[in-house]
Structures are given as structure tokens and as C-alpha cells.
């Protein structure tokens, strides 16, 4: 979950998700809007995953958000 106001909207955003072996399982644009942002993703196999969300601000500054995901069937 990501909360942004209109002034904070990035010009570019990219989401990557890796399994615990470090293998890339998702790489794509993450469309963000003002307010609450969520992303629905379904893994091919249950387990733990690591995500990285890279935002590029209007001033060119990069911001990285990282965390863990757990997918259960």
C-alpha cells in the first residue's frame, strides 16, 4: 500500500518482485495515482518474495521502497 498526494506523484515507477533465490519473477510499471495505491499480484507458487518499488520524482530524485510478500494458497 502506498499513499501519495497529487504533489508527490512520481514521473516514473517500476515494481520488481524476486523469489528468495533472487530470481526475478515480476518486472513492470507500477501505475500510481493520488491517494491510496495497491497492487494485486498472484504468484505462480506459494512462498516468500521480495519487492522493490522504484519511484522517480519530478526533480529527478529516485526513491526506493522494499519489503516482503508472502503468498499462501
Amino acid at each position: 500500500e502506498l499513499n501519495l498526494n497529487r504533489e508527490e506523484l512520481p514521473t516514473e515507477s517500476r515494481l520488481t518482485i524476486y523469489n528468495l533465490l533472487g530470481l526475478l519473477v515480476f518486472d513492470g510499471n507500477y501505475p500510481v495515482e493520488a491517494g491510496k495505491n495497491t497492487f494485486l499480484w498472484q504468484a505462480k507458487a506459494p512462498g516468500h518474495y521480495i519487492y522493490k518499488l522504484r519511484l522517480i520524482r519530478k526533480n529527478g530524485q529516485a526513491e526506493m521502497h522494499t519489503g516482503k510478500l508472502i503468498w499462501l494458497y
Side-chain angles (χ1 to χ4, degrees):
E1 184 176 299
L2 181 66
N3 285 302
L4 297 171
N5 64 43
R6 188 165 305 282
E7 292 78 34
E8 292 179 318
L9 289 178
T11 57
E12 181 184 333
S13 57
R14 184 149 209 91
L15 178 65
T16 51
I17 301 174
Y18 301 86
N19 66 18
L20 288 183
L21 297 174
L23 299 173
L24 183 66
V25 295
F26 179 84
D27 182 13
N29 293 326
Y30 180 82
V32 294
E33 298 177 357
K36 182 177 176 180
N37 289 266
T38 58
F39 182 77
L40 180 61
W41 173 73
Q42 184 171 347
K44 292 183 180 179
H48 292 83
Y49 296 86
I50 306 297
Y51 75 85
K52 295 181 182 180
L53 175 61
R54 185 171 189 253
L55 305 175
I56 305 296
R57 300 292 182 179
K58 293 176 186 176
N59 64 5
Q61 185 178 15
E63 180 179 320
M64 184 73 75
H65 297 265
T66 59
K68 297 177 185 177
L69 303 169
I70 299 175
W71 182 259
L72 304 172
Y73 280 120

